[in-house]
Amino acid sequence: WSSDVCSSDLRGKTQHVRMGRATQMLEVPALVTYHPAYLLRNLDDKAKAWEDLQRFAELLAAHQCLP
């Protein structure tokens, strides 16, 4: 992705991060959400962050990253 993309444009959209070495690359699901300090100042967005966490848990379960 490009550096001219706002984080708010990425929020809630699944990204994939490549991790590992060249011989053993692994794609890990990632999800952009709010910074905890932002949530302390903007309580109205806590519900959105909770939705993000629930979606991420579902995403990890679907990729068998959670027991």
Side-chain angles (χ1 to χ4, degrees):
W1 44 270
S2 172
S3 62
D4 61 343
V5 175
C6 295
S7 60
S8 61
D9 293 338
L10 297 174
R11 194 197 136 258
K13 297 178 183 165
T14 303
Q15 308 293 318
H16 287 87
V17 179
R18 289 186 178 185
M19 299 179 71
R21 298 186 176 149
T23 58
Q24 198 175 13
M25 289 298 279
L26 177 68
E27 274 200 8
V28 179
L31 194 68
V32 175
T33 191
Y34 297 102
H35 190 280
Y38 172 85
L39 294 173
L40 290 173
R41 294 186 306 269
N42 300 280
L43 298 179
D44 291 341
D45 288 328
K46 283 177 65 176
K48 293 178 188 175
W50 179 243
E51 290 172 5
D52 291 344
L53 287 173
Q54 290 175 315
R55 183 162 184 262
F56 192 60
E58 292 171 3
L59 183 66
L60 290 178
H63 281 81
Q64 298 178 346
C65 296
L66 288 178

